[in-house]
Amino acid sequence: MSKMYDLAGTAASLGGVALSNKVLTAGWKKVTGNEPPAKNPDPDEAWRDIIVWALLTGLVGTLIKVGIQRAIAKMDSDQDNTSQSEI
């Protein structure tokens, strides 16, 4: 994979995960009426909320990263196939 695609994939992954965290935070607030659990949780926060938040953000973040990396790999492969057919 070319360096350009690596950089584009990294930037898209970071941007996608940052955006998804904002959307998930807004959704969490709307559904629960509370802020999502912090990285250093308050002792009064329920373990259920901490675990659900960790699973939700981890799952969405991973899906975004994998989806973007697969799309970048497909674009890179398509470009290689196009350049080889021109030879």
Side-chain angles (χ1 to χ4, degrees):
M1 195 180 300
S2 72
K3 289 289 182 187
M4 182 181 78
Y5 283 122
D6 283 340
L7 291 173
T10 300
S13 292
L14 290 172
V17 170
L19 179 63
S20 73
N21 280 336
K22 290 197 179 287
V23 170
L24 289 172
T25 297
W28 184 273
K29 287 178 189 176
K30 187 172 185 174
V31 170
T32 66
N34 300 321
E35 291 286 327
K39 289 182 181 174
N40 296 317
D42 182 343
D44 294 332
E45 283 186 304
W47 274 104
R48 178 187 55 92
D49 290 348
I50 295 167
I51 293 169
V52 169
W53 180 251
L55 290 172
L56 186 63
T57 56
L59 175 68
V60 171
T62 300
L63 288 173
I64 289 170
K65 290 175 192 175
V66 169
I68 288 172
Q69 291 303 317
R70 288 177 59 108
I72 294 292
K74 184 175 181 347
M75 288 177 9
D76 193 33
S77 174
D78 290 347
Q79 182 184 16
D80 287 344
N81 290 339
T82 303
S83 64
Q84 288 178 357
S85 66
E86 293 174 356
I87 295 176

